[in-house]
Amino acid sequence: MASPGGHGGGAVSTRGGGGGGAGGGARRMKWALELSLGNTRRVTSALLHMTRGDRQSSQGDILYPIGYSDKAVPDTSVQEADRNLVEKRCWDVALGPLKQIPMNLFIMYMSGNTISIFPIMMVCMMAWRPIQALMSLSATFKLLESSSQQWLQGLVYLVGNLLGSALAIYKCQSMGLLPTHSSDWLAFIEPPQRMEIMGGGMVL
Amino acid sequence: MANLTTCLTLFFLCYGLCSAVYEDQVGKFDWRQQYVGKVLFAHFDSHSQAAKKLILATDKNIVASLNSRTGELFWRHVDKVGPEGHIDTLLFHGQDAVVMAGNGRLLRSWESNIGALNWEMVLDTGSFQAAILAGTQDSVKFVAVLKKAVLSLHYLSNGHQKWVETLPDSDTVQYQAVYSSGGSQLFVLGVVPYSHLSIIAFNIEDGEIMSQRSVAAPWVSKVQARCGVVDQGVLLCVDATTLSLYMLPLNSEEPAELQQVPLQSLDLELASGYQPVLLTTQPNPARPPLAQFFLQLGPDHHVLLQLSDGLISPLRDFQPAFLVSFATAGEKTVAAVLSPKNETVSAKAGGVVAETVHPFLHFFLMHCFIVLLLDHAYDLQASSVSLYSADSGRRLLDTTVTVHLDPNGGKPEKLYVHAFLKKDDSVGYRLLVQMEDHTLTFLQQPGRVVWSREEALADVVTMEMVDLPLTGTQAELEGEFGKKADGLAAMVLKRLSSQLILLQAWIAHLWKLFYDARKPRSLVKNEVTIETLARDEFNLQKMIVMVTASGKLFGIDSKSGTVLWKHYLHDVQPNSVFKLMVQRTTAHFPHPPQCTLLIKDKETGLATLHVFNPIFGKKSHVTPPALSRPVLQSLLLPLMDQDYSKVLLLIDDEYKVTAFPSTKHVLQQLQEMASSIFFFLVDSSQGRLSGFRLRKARELSLTDLSTELIWEVVIPPEVQKIVAVKGKRASEHVHSQGRVMGDRSVLYKYLNPNLLAVVTESVDTHQERSFVGVFLIDGITGRIIHEAVQRKARGPIHLVHSENWVVYEYWNAKSRRNEFSVLELFEGTELYNSTVFSSLDRPHLPQVLQQSYIFPSSISTMEATLTEKGITSRHLLVGLPSGAILSLPKMFLDPRRPEVASEQSREENLIPYAPEMPIRTEWFINYNQSVSRVKGIYTAPSGLESTCLVVAYGLDIFQTRVYPSKQFDVLKDDYDYVLISSVLFGLFFATMISKRLAQVKLLNRAWR
C-alpha cells in the first residue's frame, strides 16, 4: 500500500500530490493502476457512490463470485395475458394516426384560412407528420411484427396516415396554396407569336 | 358605414401608391430646361456696362427677361397659344416693357426687374398697325397705338387712355405708321396704294387734328420698311420701280410734293428684282430721329446714308453685308452690319484708313455712329466684328474681333447690339446674334461667346431615346462573342488580348482615381462629353434624339440634359412633317447605331431621308434611296438585313413600295414574307381607312415592290372626321396574358397587336348633336372589333392605346366637364390560340368593358409608362395645362371597378367605383417644376424593370424617372449597409467563436 495513489482516492489516478505531502514530489507518477480496489472501496465506497455515479459500483464487485446475481431470474415463459397486451399495444400504434384526425380537424377549424405564420406552421406540421410516418413505414411494420393481425394493423396505420395527409392537402386547398387554378399557371403562358407585320398611319 | 369603408379602402390604396419625391431628391434624377422660342423683339435693359438684363418677345407668345451674363431666365410670361396671344410689338422704356398682344387687344406693361404686371388695358380687338412711345419735352409719357381706323394715346405710367380719335377716310386710306419726335404733334401716315400718301398731324395734348394733307405718290404701295422719318421730321421713302428716294418735310406745309432723289445720282445701284428696305433710328422717343439711315439695296448690300441740309449723301458702302441694326449707348447710337468674311476684302481696305483716327475725336459729336461689321462666312467658322464710327463711316480702334459662330447653324438672321460707354468714355459693345436655326448667341467684345441658347428646342416635334453604346472594353468583349470562331488558337489569342485590354483599362482607371484624389474636390468635374459616353449598369442613361420644327436635330444626354451634339438641316421647309425611326440600336457592335429621319415637305409632298448616327449626330455614309414620288407613309419592319439594320418600307402615292436598305438579301426576304406584311393608310380628308398587303413579284426582278388593296372602311366625312389613329407601340411587352379574378380563374386579355384605335369627331359642333366616336379596327382585316360613341361630347381628344386597353379623354358638352373613358378588351376565360396570334383566324369578338370618370382638369397630353418586361403596373402620365405632369395609376381607370365592393372584388384589389377621379399633388412627378405647354410625353424603358424614363417636351423640356410600382428591384437610398454588414460579420464571428467554444466544451466533457 505504498503507492501514492492511496491518497488520490480513485481507481485511476492521474496525479499524486493533491492533499497530503506524504507521497513526496520525487516519486510522483503520471498514472497508476491500483489493483487492490476492494480495500479502498470499502473505505470510500460511500463517497464514490455519490461522486462517480453507479458505473463503477456495478463493475466487478469482488465480494461475489463471477456469475452470481443477487436478483431473482425472471420467468421468461410467454403467457396469454402478455400476448393480449402486445396485441393491444400494436393496435394502439396502428390507430394512432386515426386518433389524431379529430384533433387535427379541430386545429384546422381553429386556425382558419388566412395565410399567416401560425396557420402555415400548423399546416406544415399536419402535412409533415403523416409523410414522416409513411417514410418510416417499414420500421413501424417491424414493430408490429409480433402481432398476429399485423397486416390489418399495417393497413389501418397506412390509411390513417393517408387520411392525415389528405386532410393536410385539403387544408392547403382551402387556404389556396395548391396550384389548381388556371391563374396559378398564368405567369408561365408565353405571349403568342405574331403572324403578321403591320404598320402605317395617317397619310403624312 | 359602407361609404366609410370605401373611403378607407381608397385612402389606403392611395397611400400605398403615392410617389412623391423627398426634399433631398429634388434635381437628383430630373432636370428641366426652359426656353422662349424664336426672338421677335429684343431690348437691352440699360445703357450702362453693368446692366445685365435682356427683354425678349418671341414667336411663342412669350415675354421674358434673360440674364445677359449667363443666359438664364430672370422671368418669363407665357401667353395664350395662337393669334390670341400673339405679340404684336414690344416697346421698352426705363423699367417698363410695354407689350401689345393679340392683334391690338391687350396693352400690357411689365416691370422689367421682377416681371410684375404694371398695368393692363383691354382695347378693341383687331387690325393693329403700329405702336410707338411718344413724349413731350424730352420725357417719354405716352404710348400711341395705331389701328386701322383709330388712333389712341395711353399714359405710360398707368395705361389710362388719354384720348382716342377715329381716323378720317379709313375705308380708303390704309394707315400704317405713326411718328412722334417729342414735339406737340403726332403724325399718322396713311397710304392709298399707287395713288397718294396721307399725312395727319394730331395734337398730342387733346387729339385734335392740326393738319391733314395728301401728297401724290403714284409709286407707293406700303409704308413699312419702305418709308421712315429722319432728322428733324423728314419723311423718306424708297421705291424700286422708279429707283429713287423721296423726301418730304412733315412739319412744314411748304413743298406739296415729294422731292425725288434718283439712286443713280448717289452712285447706288439696286440689285435686280430686290425690294429696297429703309432702316432709320430714333434713339429717344422724345427726340427727333437721327439724320443717318441704312438703305438695303440687295440681299447682301447695305449703304449708310446721311441727310444734311436737305441733301442725301452716302457715308459708307457695305457690300457684302447681310444684316444691319441700330443700338444706342447714352448719347451714341450703334449700327451693326453683318457680312460674309471671304468677300469683305474691299470693305476692310476702306476701313484701314479710318483706323488711324483716334476714337476720342468722335465723342465731341452729338451722335456717334458706330458701324459694326460682322463678317460671316458659310464655310468658314471665323467671322470678324468691328466697330465703325459713323458720321464719317470710320472704324474705331481696337474694336475688331474675330467671332466663332457655329458653322452648322445656318445664316445669322437677326442682330441686336448692346452698346455702352466704358469708364474711359470709349464705346464697348455686346451683341446678340440670332441664327437661322434659332440659336441665340451672346458675344462679348474680345470675341468670346458668353452664352448661347438653343431656342429651337422650344418646338420639339418628335423624339426617340437610344441606348448608349457600351464602353470600348465592354464592346471589345461583346465583339469577341459576336464573331465566329476561327479555331481554338485564334480564340485563345483573342481572349488573351481582350483580357489584356481590360487590364489596361482597369489600370488606367486606377491611375485616374489616384490622380483625381490628389486634386481638390472642386476641380474634379464629372463632365459628360461625347467621348466619355457609356452605358451605365442599369441602362438609365440614354441619348435623347430630338427633332425640332426648325429642322435642327439634337442629341441630349438624358442624365444631365447637356446637348452633346446638334445638327442643322438647312433645306427643311417650315411646315415639314417629321418621322423619326431607329433602324439599328447600339446592340450590334461593331455596326454603329443608325436613325433615319423622314422629312416630308407639305407643299410638294416629296420626302427626303436623313440617315445619321444617334450617338454622335454624324450623317451616315449610307446613301438613302432617292424618293421621286410623294411618300404617304413608312413602315419599320422587324426584319433585318445582314448589317442588322431594320428594313424601312416607304409607300408612295402610287402605292409602290421602296425598301431601305434594299440589298438583295433584304429583297429576297421581303418576297418570302410578302404575304404577311400589311399596311394601313388613313386619309382623314376623305374619311377613308384602307389596308394593303405587299404583293409578291411575279417575275424575278425583285426591286419592283407593289401592294394590293385588301380592305377599305369609309367613315363618311360629312358626319364625322377622323382626328387620330393609334396603334400599339412596337416595343411594348405584356408580361401577364390575363387577369386573375376573385375566384382565381383567369380572364384572358385580348392582346391583338394589330388593333387600331380610330377617333372621330362629329362635324356638327352643336352642343346637343356633337359626338365623339372611338372605333377599334383590326389593321389587317379591317374588321371593326368595337365602336363606342360618346354623345354630347367634343374634342380635343387625347388617347392612349396599350396592352388590351384604350383610355381617352374628351369634353362632355352637356355636363360641361372633362371625362376619362376606358375600354378594356378580354377574350374570356378561354384562350382561342395561345401560341400564335393571327388576325386572319379570330372567329370570336372580344368582350369589351367600358367605364367613364370625371376628371377635374383639362389635359394637354397623355402617355402610358413603359417598362422593360411589362411586369410593373402601368401609370398614365397626364400633362396638365397648369404645367404639372400627373402620374395617374391605371388602377383607377379600370372598367371592372365594382359599384358595390364584394368579397371577390376586394380579393382582386379593385377600388369601388367613384365617378370623380382624384388629382393628388403628390402624384405630380415634376413637383414644382412646371412644364409649360406640354406637347408630348415620351416614355422609355430602362434596364431596371421598376423604372421608366420620362421626357416631357413642349416649350420646356423635363426629364425624370418614374417608378409605378415603387423601386422593388433596387435597395433604398437610405439602406443601412453598415448595420447590415456589421450584423452579418458579427454573426459570422459569433458562429466561429461559439463553434470553437462548443468544441472545447465537448472535449472537456469527453475527458471527464
Side-chain angles (χ1 to χ4, degrees):
Chain A
M1 280 312 308
S3 86
H7 45 84
V12 176
S13 164
T14 50
R15 269 200 179 179
R27 290 190 58 228
R28 188 181 295 168
M29 292 167 195
K30 281 231 167 194
W31 60 273
L33 194 67
E34 197 174 53
L35 293 169
S36 55
L37 248 174
N39 298 338
T40 42
R41 174 159 287 272
R42 248 174 242 126
V43 181
T44 57
S45 65
L47 196 89
L48 276 170
H49 276 285
M50 272 147 75
T51 54
R52 298 275 163 98
D54 40 11
R55 183 158 60 96
Q56 270 120 340
S57 70
S58 59
Q59 230 169 44
D61 203 328
I62 50 162
L63 281 180
Y64 305 107
I66 294 164
Y68 173 80
S69 170
D70 51 356
K71 285 175 198 158
V73 177
D75 183 12
T76 50
S77 61
V78 179
Q79 288 162 11
E80 198 58 28
D82 289 349
R83 193 169 291 280
N84 283 341
L85 221 72
V86 166
E87 207 87 328
K88 208 181 160 199
R89 185 86 198 111
C90 284
W91 270 117
D92 271 353
V93 171
L95 286 173
L98 275 177
K99 276 180 186 158
Q100 272 189 355
I101 283 176
M103 179 64 176
N104 279 349
L105 274 170
F106 181 69
I107 292 173
M108 255 172 70
Y109 170 73
M110 289 306 283
S111 62
N113 282 342
T114 49
I115 296 179
S116 59
I117 183 85
F118 285 106
I120 290 280
M121 271 164 64
M122 301 275 181
V123 169
C124 282
M125 292 263 284
M126 273 169 65
W128 183 238
R129 225 180 282 150
I131 290 170
Q132 217 174 11
L134 288 177
M135 287 210 297
S136 58
L137 200 64
S138 53
T140 321
F141 264 62
K142 210 163 266 173
L143 225 132
L144 299 175
E145 239 169 18
S146 50
S147 163
S148 57
Q149 288 162 312
Q150 182 193 354
W151 292 108
L152 184 67
Q153 281 164 350
L155 195 73
V156 168
Y157 183 76
L158 190 73
V159 166
N161 275 318
L162 284 178
L163 265 176
S165 52
L167 210 62
I169 287 171
Y170 171 74
K171 182 66 185 169
C172 282
Q173 159 78 21
S174 60
M175 279 173 84
L177 294 175
L178 294 185
T180 49
H181 294 274
S182 50
S183 59
D184 299 317
W185 305 96
L186 183 64
F188 299 99
I189 302 178
E190 290 290 312
Q193 205 192 337
R194 200 175 161 177
M195 291 302 280
E196 295 98 5
I197 303 166
M198 183 211 63
M202 287 267 206
V203 171
L204 288 177
Chain B
M1 192 59 209
N3 262 342
L4 187 71
T5 347
T6 316
C7 287
L8 276 175
T9 332
L10 255 172
F11 172 77
F12 282 115
L13 275 168
C14 300
Y15 186 76
L17 290 166
C18 73
S19 55
V21 291
Y22 291 103
E23 196 178 350
D24 59 339
Q25 285 180 320
V26 166
K28 201 171 172 191
F29 306 115
D30 56 67
W31 48 263
R32 177 182 63 161
Q33 288 168 356
Q34 291 185 303
Y35 294 96
V36 292
K38 185 187 177 185
V39 174
L40 297 179
F41 308 97
H43 290 282
F44 290 91
D45 173 34
S46 145
H47 311 305
S48 75
Q49 197 178 353
K52 51 175 188 177
K53 223 178 306 133
L54 190 61
I55 309 287
L56 303 172
T58 69
D59 67 338
K60 298 262 177 272
N61 307 349
I62 286 164
V63 187
S65 171
L66 292 185
N67 184 341
S68 64
R69 300 283 158 82
T70 60
E72 281 160 14
L73 280 174
F74 277 133
W75 50 263
R76 183 181 75 170
H77 290 292
V78 182
D79 210 335
K80 283 176 187 155
V81 198
E84 229 180 313
H86 179 258
I87 291 169
D88 301 313
T89 189
L90 169 73
L91 306 167
F92 189 68
H93 183 263
Q95 296 296 321
D96 301 335
V98 179
V99 173
M100 191 63 166
N103 199 12
R105 199 174 63 85
L106 284 169
L107 188 64
R108 286 186 181 131
S109 169
W110 299 100
E111 212 283 321
S112 65
N113 284 323
I114 52 167
L117 184 70
N118 287 332
W119 48 261
E120 179 185 74
M121 292 302 289
V122 183
L123 310 182
D124 294 335
T125 31
S127 66
F128 171 79
Q129 294 293 334
I132 59 155
L133 293 166
T136 49
Q137 285 115 38
D138 273 4
S139 65
V140 182
K141 283 180 184 164
F142 310 110
V143 184
V145 178
L146 177 70
K147 293 197 174 182
K148 193 166 179 290
V150 175
L151 175 69
S152 59
L153 199 70
H154 299 262
Y155 288 102
L156 185 60
S157 53
N158 54 17
H160 289 312
Q161 190 171 284
K162 185 173 168 71
W163 50 260
V164 58
E165 289 295 322
T166 45
L167 298 164
D169 307 325
S170 59
D171 45 346
T172 52
V173 185
Q174 299 171 9
Y175 293 99
Q176 289 181 344
V178 58
Y179 159 73
S180 144
S181 64
S184 60
Q185 283 178 317
L186 197 64
F187 296 94
V188 172
L189 226 62
V191 172
V192 178
Y194 307 108
S195 168
H196 62 269
L197 278 168
S198 172
I199 299 156
I200 307 168
F202 288 88
N203 188 334
I204 207 160
E205 291 303 326
D206 52 9
E208 192 188 327
I209 293 178
M210 295 173 79
S211 70
Q212 183 177 6
R213 62 170 166 162
S214 59
V215 186
W219 40 265
V220 76
S221 58
K222 64 167 189 166
V223 169
Q224 269 132 14
R226 298 273 181 280
C227 293
V229 182
V230 293
D231 209 7
Q232 302 292 329
V234 177
L235 177 69
L236 259 176
C237 286
V238 64
D239 176 48
T241 48
T242 54
L243 295 170
S244 302
L245 282 166
Y246 294 91
M247 286 197 300
L248 181 78
L250 289 172
N251 297 327
S252 60
E253 293 281 328
E254 272 310 296
E257 283 193 357
L258 289 149
Q259 185 193 343
Q260 187 178 9
V261 183
L263 288 174
Q264 219 149 18
S265 69
L266 300 165
D267 272 346
L268 299 174
E269 206 180 322
L270 187 69
S272 61
Y274 190 77
Q275 286 294 324
V277 176
L278 200 71
L279 183 73
T280 62
T281 182
Q282 189 175 7
N284 188 339
R287 297 223 191 118
L290 299 186
Q292 287 80 9
F293 59 94
F294 267 110
L295 184 62
Q296 188 180 6
L297 295 166
D300 60 346
H301 186 194
H302 290 83
V303 187
L304 182 65
L305 297 140
Q306 186 182 24
L307 178 78
S308 57
D309 306 328
L311 282 175
I312 298 172
S313 55
L315 283 175
R316 198 184 177 96
D317 198 317
F318 297 102
Q319 191 179 20
F322 279 116
L323 291 171
V324 293
S325 162
F326 282 107
T328 3
E331 294 299 316
K332 304 176 181 66
T333 301
V334 168
V337 183
L338 188 135
S339 332
K341 185 173 191 173
N342 45 0
E343 297 167 62
T344 50
V345 187
S346 62
K348 273 200 173 159
V352 172
V353 188
E355 270 176 45
T356 52
V357 183
H358 196 273
F360 189 72
L361 286 176
H362 302 288
F363 300 126
F364 296 109
L365 301 168
M366 182 69 182
H367 298 293
C368 175
F369 280 73
I370 297 136
V371 176
L372 202 128
L373 190 79
L374 192 129
D375 302 322
H376 177 80
Y378 291 105
D379 327 315
L380 296 171
Q381 292 186 27
S383 322
S384 91
V385 184
S386 340
L387 272 193
Y388 281 79
S389 158
D391 256 9
S392 53
R394 277 176 282 195
R395 182 159 65 176
L396 300 180
L397 269 179
D398 297 333
T399 54
T400 308
V401 290
T402 308
V403 178
H404 294 271
L405 287 173
D406 183 13
N408 187 23
K411 276 188 288 186
E413 268 194 340
K414 265 184 186 159
L415 199 61
Y416 303 96
V417 181
H418 178 210
F420 52 85
L421 293 176
K422 289 184 189 166
K423 283 191 184 109
D424 60 347
D425 248 12
S426 62
V427 176
Y429 66 97
R430 300 190 187 104
L431 83 169
L432 183 69
V433 187
Q434 184 178 19
M435 310 291 280
E436 210 178 359
D437 63 354
H438 302 184
T439 312
L440 276 181
T441 312
F442 195 74
L443 299 154
Q444 228 170 20
Q445 214 162 349
R448 193 167 64 87
V449 174
V450 185
W451 49 262
S452 93
R453 288 177 69 89
E454 294 292 351
E455 289 303 335
L457 284 171
D459 200 354
V460 175
V461 182
T462 176
M463 63 163 288
E464 282 288 342
M465 269 176 140
V466 185
D467 292 353
L468 289 176
L470 301 164
T471 55
T473 46
Q474 282 174 317
E476 182 72 27
L477 277 183
E478 196 122 300
E480 186 189 333
F481 298 114
K483 279 169 199 157
K484 279 179 212 150
D486 308 329
L488 195 67
M491 282 297 276
V492 167
L493 270 180
K494 215 185 271 173
R495 159 48 61 97
L496 282 178
S497 70
S498 50
Q499 293 285 11
L500 207 70
I501 289 167
L502 273 180
L503 185 73
Q504 207 178 338
W506 187 65
I507 290 168
H509 175 71
L510 280 186
W511 173 247
K512 196 172 169 292
L513 272 184
F514 174 68
Y515 196 76
D516 282 347
R518 285 162 54 201
K519 282 193 284 187
R521 178 150 300 182
S522 57
L523 283 178
V524 185
K525 269 185 271 176
N526 273 330
E527 263 186 30
V528 186
T529 56
I530 230 157
E531 286 77 31
T532 59
L533 273 187
R535 198 183 299 179
D536 59 343
E537 217 175 334
F538 297 123
N539 202 3
L540 289 164
Q541 188 180 10
K542 294 197 180 197
M543 178 67 88
I544 305 175
V545 180
M546 283 186 162
V547 182
T548 62
S550 63
K552 196 167 186 183
L553 311 181
F554 290 91
I556 300 174
D557 169 39
S558 77
K559 201 168 191 177
S560 61
T562 328
V563 174
L564 293 175
W565 58 263
K566 46 205 168 188
H567 185 87
Y568 181 57
L569 304 170
H570 288 272
D571 44 358
V572 171
Q573 298 302 311
N575 58 349
S576 298
V577 186
F578 299 92
K579 196 171 177 184
L580 183 65
M581 289 149 288
V582 182
Q583 274 199 296
R584 182 165 54 216
T585 60
T586 31
H588 305 286
F589 186 82
H591 299 286
Q594 183 179 321
C595 270
T596 304
L597 180 67
L598 177 73
I599 309 153
K600 186 181 171 182
D601 185 357
K602 270 272 184 191
E603 309 252 300
T604 59
L606 289 176
T608 48
L609 290 177
H610 175 69
V611 187
F612 62 99
N613 181 332
I615 304 299
F616 300 106
K618 288 193 195 95
K619 197 172 175 185
S620 170
H621 59 271
V622 183
T623 43
L627 305 164
S628 52
R629 300 211 55 89
V631 168
L632 294 184
Q633 251 304 342
S634 69
L635 162 64
L636 195 66
L637 297 179
L639 202 71
M640 285 188 193
D641 74 344
Q642 290 120 317
D643 294 340
Y644 304 102
S645 81
K646 285 182 187 167
V647 179
L648 180 69
L649 298 184
L650 299 151
I651 315 158
D652 62 22
D653 60 345
E654 284 179 335
Y655 306 109
K656 288 254 164 57
V657 173
T658 316
F660 167 64
S662 58
T663 57
K664 205 172 169 213
H665 175 72
V666 167
L667 291 172
Q668 250 167 2
Q669 269 187 294
L670 277 179
Q671 287 298 334
E672 282 163 22
M673 295 181 62
S675 56
S676 63
I677 296 174
F678 295 82
F679 306 98
F680 70 94
L681 290 174
V682 182
D683 191 344
S684 157
S685 59
Q686 293 171 29
R688 196 173 59 210
L689 294 104
S690 31
F692 299 88
R693 181 163 65 180
L694 204 64
R695 196 204 303 249
K696 238 176 211 165
R698 283 189 182 77
E699 63 269 37
L700 280 171
S701 71
L702 295 165
T703 48
D704 191 33
L705 291 164
S706 60
T707 56
E708 53 190 337
L709 183 74
I710 50 169
W711 60 267
E712 200 169 50
V713 173
V714 177
I715 293 169
E718 309 84 57
V719 185
Q720 49 189 334
K721 62 174 194 296
I722 301 170
V723 282
V725 179
K726 277 220 176 158
K728 288 172 190 171
R729 286 178 70 165
S731 53
E732 185 181 83
H733 288 277
V734 183
H735 183 257
S736 180
Q737 298 297 304
R739 282 189 57 169
V740 182
M741 315 296 289
D743 59 357
R744 302 181 63 213
S745 62
V746 176
L747 191 58
Y748 288 100
K749 294 174 184 173
Y750 179 75
L751 295 166
N752 183 349
N754 310 315
L755 194 68
L756 305 173
V758 180
V759 184
T760 63
E761 273 180 45
S762 63
V763 176
D764 189 351
T765 52
H766 185 270
Q767 186 199 321
E768 286 294 312
R769 293 185 294 272
S770 67
F771 64 88
V772 162
V774 174
F775 297 84
L776 300 180
I777 295 178
D778 190 298
I780 281 167
T781 57
R783 186 181 188 190
I784 297 178
I785 307 273
H786 181 72
E787 57 184 300
V789 174
Q790 220 81 38
R791 296 202 185 280
K792 293 170 189 167
R794 216 165 355 123
I797 294 164
H798 303 277
L799 178 111
V800 174
H801 183 191
S802 179
E803 286 189 30
N804 65 329
W805 46 265
V806 176
V807 173
Y808 57 97
E809 192 262 5
Y810 54 89
W811 170 255
N812 186 331
K814 192 189 173 201
S815 311
R816 311 182 67 72
R817 65 192 181 201
N818 290 92
E819 287 183 3
F820 264 110
S821 195
V822 56
L823 282 168
E824 255 182 60
L825 290 89
F826 292 102
E827 268 195 28
T829 46
E830 296 275 312
L831 269 182
Y832 175 70
N833 186 346
S834 62
T835 51
V836 289
F837 191 97
S838 169
S839 288
L840 301 168
D841 177 31
R842 282 276 141 175
H844 311 297
L845 280 178
Q847 303 166 9
V848 184
L849 302 174
Q850 183 162 20
Q851 225 170 47
S852 295
Y853 314 89
I854 303 164
F855 194 65
S857 165
S858 67
I859 72 169
S860 313
T861 186
M862 191 159 63
E863 188 54 79
T865 59
L866 192 69
T867 50
E868 181 87 21
K869 302 265 181 243
I871 299 169
T872 309
S873 62
R874 310 290 297 269
H875 276 202
L876 285 175
L877 300 170
V878 185
L880 303 179
S882 64
I885 296 166
L886 183 76
S887 182
L888 185 69
K890 169 70 180 57
M891 204 176 177
F892 281 92
L893 292 157
D894 184 349
R896 302 194 62 255
R897 279 174 69 174
E899 280 186 36
V900 181
S902 66
E903 187 67 40
Q904 291 209 345
S905 74
R906 231 166 279 145
E907 189 95 334
E908 263 186 85
N909 270 341
L910 291 176
I911 311 161
Y913 179 75
E916 291 92 2
M917 187 79 70
I919 291 188
R920 274 159 212 284
T921 41
E922 66 263 27
W923 288 351
F924 291 155
I925 57 169
N926 55 344
Y927 43 105
N928 63 351
Q929 306 230 53
S930 304
V931 188
S932 292
R933 291 191 198 151
V934 192
K935 208 164 64 179
I937 295 174
Y938 182 90
T939 52
S942 72
L944 285 173
E945 172 55 32
S946 66
T947 311
C948 169
L949 303 175
V950 178
V951 179
Y953 55 89
L955 189 60
D956 303 339
I957 298 172
F958 177 77
Q959 190 276 143
T960 191
R961 302 171 189 171
V962 289
Y963 319 100
S965 301
K966 297 209 179 164
Q967 285 182 287
F968 58 82
D969 49 2
V970 178
L971 288 181
K972 285 224 174 64
D973 266 357
D974 53 357
Y975 186 77
D976 205 337
Y977 292 94
V978 180
L979 181 77
I980 296 287
S981 45
S982 56
V983 164
L984 266 180
F985 278 111
L987 282 176
F988 178 72
F989 285 118
T991 322
M992 298 292 279
I993 292 164
S994 54
K995 194 178 170 188
R996 178 81 200 129
L997 286 176
Q999 273 175 347
V1000 169
K1001 199 174 177 188
L1002 268 180
L1003 193 68
N1004 281 346
R1005 190 186 285 168
W1007 271 115
R1008 251 186 268 162

